[in-house]
Amino acid sequence: MTNEADHQIGLRGVDCIRHYAKTLDGSPGVYRMLGSKGEVLYVGKAKHLKNRIRNYLNPMAMGGRIERMVSLTASMMFLTTKTETEALLLEQNLIKQLKPHFNVLLRDDKSFPTIYISTDHPFPQIRKHRGKRELNGKHYGPFASAAAVNRTINQLQKVFLIRNCSDTIFNNRTRPCLQYQIKRCSAPCVGLIEEESYAELVNDAQGFLRGKTSNIQQNLASKMELASKALEFEKAAAFRDRIQALTQIQSVQGINPQTVSEADVIGLSLENGKACVQVFFIRSHQNWGNKSFFPKTGEGAGEAEILKAFLGQFYSNKHPPREILLSHPIEDYDPMVKVLSELRGAKVKLNIPKRGERALLIENAVRNARESLTRKLSEVASQILLFKRLAEKVGLDEIPEIIEVYDNSHIQGSYQYGTMICVGKEGFLKSSYRKYKIRDEQLTPGDDYGMMREVFTRRFRRLLEEDPEKNSMLWPNLIIVDGGQGQLMAAKEVLENFGLDEISLISVSKGPNRDHDIETIHLADSSRFKLEKNDSLLFFIQRIRDEAHRFAIGTHRSARRKNLRKSSLDSIPGIGAGRKHALLHHFGSAKEIKNAGIDDLKAVQGISESMARTIHAFYHDTE
């Protein structure tokens, strides 16, 4: 792979592209179009770089979007690759990293949760898992949401009585826990079920997750009937409850396909430059839920480009299924099949079905995408109206594009954090949220004004370093501070020190008793006003202020929980993560480690005699 990057050549638009086209050969690779300030406008891939770049010499034939992009191009960069497939992978990685303005960009690419059943323990555990798949267990999914996984695991525990506790808790139980009492676990931790019987329950659970539901239900029905005939009515009732729980799982899964065992069904709806992609997850003939995505379309990309970009970015951190059903054809079909097959480690089929059950699945996905897009567009329209009213009310010349909301959180001066949330015309921009741990040791604990000054100083010093020309979308048009005139003046002082007087600033304070509906809006010129109780603008301000509260309190609580999770073992020299895990796994708690003798400590794997003496001395203050 080679890399070529030229400096500014003094040419623009078609003339600039013509200059670079003369220097290229027929290699596959990736190209970047750059603006006059070096910003990345577009990242693309080509099977034949020279031919691809020459296509841009007639931008008017390629539509208004390409014409605008070409007119802004001041320089280009190129990366050649060995194959077109390698170029496609590189293109999608660069798009996710650089977020070019004219590219299709998937803004939500989090991994999806799965159900995990361990295989390295005599009594396997069932739990939710997110992220890279672990080797010592089996994964079932993906599920569309954590709530769907939790709901399914909850019902599976009722049916199959599998434990969900960690191995450490399991190894240190002396009596059954609450899960056994409410009939969601068979209590293998205290020997109330044999290993062989427990293995049958695990096999049944795995069979259900693989789609073999009818056999399991028939087996439970037979056991219920036998128990009833034997006059074991309590046992029969338990089987009845398990059958009902199994039926409930199936009822919430919706329509389960008969001819499709494993596939992702991807439907696209495109309207007025806005797109919605709906993904349904089909595994083991079961519908494990769906999710809507609203990718940025790069100022008007078509269906083929949007779906191609979606596939490349969506599966970059996920395990592709053996079949993917699409509502529209895509660009670079063959390279995409190769990329997805490499990610899966086996052949992946990309199909655009026209008839049969697969076509019905696509039709359902497209209908859901269209309905989700309609709701989204309606929400955006309402949000724009609220932005417009807010701009008029606080005296802005233009409707703001980005609003930042700041809040502080602490308990009597401890765990001091400042937070910022970001709101755009399409809703909350959670990837732009920021949290700041207060560092100033000279600050009086609980000094809200001082905390606000530190947060603003750090935030806008960083922004000026990253974008001194203030050309990017990083900059807010309006800032809302939670608090009264004091917090507002503290924030205003920092902005003035940085020469950022052009950024509009307001604050929102509650009533004397912190009551809702009587909030006061404070302006930077020291004037103030209130809104009517039933005013939709008041509800909007309350909603974004409450989101700022939620994020601030969540950040604060997370810090407190993290501190509570710290063990006294962390203070012992020579105790790292491995030894800490081994000690806690062996003894169950720090209290038991403290009470252990040197010989008991030496019995733990990885703990030498000298380390055992160090641990013992730490807890008992001996030389």
Side-chain angles (χ1 to χ4, degrees), residues 417-435:
Y417 279 86
T419 55
M420 181 273 286
I421 70 163
C422 200
V423 190
K425 291 177 181 176
E426 296 187 10
F428 294 111
L429 307 175
K430 296 195 175 183
S431 62
S432 298
Y433 286 18
R434 296 290 182 270
K435 51 190 174 184

Side-chain angles (χ1 to χ4, degrees), residues 385-422:
L385 286 175
L386 290 168
F387 271 46
K388 183 178 180 180
R389 282 201 59 210
L390 181 59
E392 293 171 351
K393 204 72 180 174
V394 301
L396 300 184
D397 296 330
E398 297 180 350
I399 301 175
E401 295 289 332
I402 299 294
I403 299 175
E404 291 184 354
V405 188
Y406 289 80
D407 193 12
N408 294 329
S409 183
H410 62 87
I411 289 183
Q412 296 179 341
S414 62
Y415 303 105
Q416 298 185 105
Y417 279 86
T419 55
M420 181 273 286
I421 70 163
C422 200

Side-chain angles (χ1 to χ4, degrees), residues 304-519:
E305 185 178 352
I306 291 172
L307 275 183
K308 169 212 162 184
F310 179 84
L311 291 175
Q313 295 170 47
F314 183 74
Y315 290 109
S316 63
N317 62 345
K318 300 175 184 68
H319 188 70
R322 69 171 70 122
E323 183 178 16
I324 299 173
L325 304 179
L326 300 174
S327 60
H328 297 79
I330 65 167
E331 295 178 353
D332 302 315
Y333 176 88
D334 291 333
M336 183 59 71
V337 169
K338 291 180 181 178
V339 166
L340 294 173
S341 298
E342 287 179 7
L343 290 171
R344 176 178 169 80
K347 179 69 174 178
V348 172
K349 296 179 181 178
L350 279 181
N351 290 326
I352 307 169
K354 301 298 182 184
R355 61 180 66 87
E357 188 177 45
R358 284 172 169 78
L360 291 175
L361 290 171
I362 282 293
E363 182 182 333
N364 183 48
V366 171
R367 184 178 65 255
N368 277 271
R370 184 167 55 249
E371 292 170 354
S372 295
L373 183 59
T374 300
R375 289 192 295 271
K376 183 72 171 180
L377 292 175
S378 176
E379 291 169 3
V380 170
S382 299
Q383 189 98 327
I384 291 173
L385 286 175
L386 290 168
F387 271 46
K388 183 178 180 180
R389 282 201 59 210
L390 181 59
E392 293 171 351
K393 204 72 180 174
V394 301
L396 300 184
D397 296 330
E398 297 180 350
I399 301 175
E401 295 289 332
I402 299 294
I403 299 175
E404 291 184 354
V405 188
Y406 289 80
D407 193 12
N408 294 329
S409 183
H410 62 87
I411 289 183
Q412 296 179 341
S414 62
Y415 303 105
Q416 298 185 105
Y417 279 86
T419 55
M420 181 273 286
I421 70 163
C422 200
V423 190
K425 291 177 181 176
E426 296 187 10
F428 294 111
L429 307 175
K430 296 195 175 183
S431 62
S432 298
Y433 286 18
R434 296 290 182 270
K435 51 190 174 184
Y436 301 88
K437 184 176 181 180
I438 302 303
R439 300 172 180 167
D440 189 353
E441 296 179 356
Q442 305 301 318
L443 199 66
T444 303
D447 181 0
D448 278 347
Y449 304 156
M451 292 171 66
M452 195 65 70
R453 288 191 195 95
E454 178 176 338
V455 170
F456 267 68
T457 300
R458 288 163 59 184
R459 168 65 175 162
F460 289 98
R461 179 185 291 140
R462 178 71 176 269
L463 271 181
L464 284 168
E465 291 173 356
E466 292 179 351
D467 184 21
E469 301 296 326
K470 293 180 278 190
N471 291 315
S472 72
M473 292 295 292
L474 297 172
W475 290 88
N477 309 104
L478 175 65
I479 293 173
I480 299 176
V481 176
D482 181 66
Q485 197 70 25
Q487 284 87 347
L488 181 66
M489 290 299 104
K492 182 181 179 182
E493 177 188 333
V494 175
L495 292 181
E496 288 176 346
N497 290 339
F498 282 119
L500 300 174
D501 310 64
E502 71 276 10
I503 300 178
S504 299
L505 185 66
I506 66 172
S507 69
V508 182
S509 62
K510 291 183 179 179
N513 299 317
R514 302 188 64 81
D515 295 325
H516 274 282
D517 301 331
I518 55 174
E519 280 88 345

Side-chain angles (χ1 to χ4, degrees), residues 40 45 58 60 155 182 232 243 423 430 471 604:
V40 181
K45 77 137 242 319
N58 185 20
M60 289 185 290
Q155 297 297 330
I182 62 176
E232 297 175 334
I243 292 171
V423 190
K430 296 195 175 183
N471 291 315
V604 179

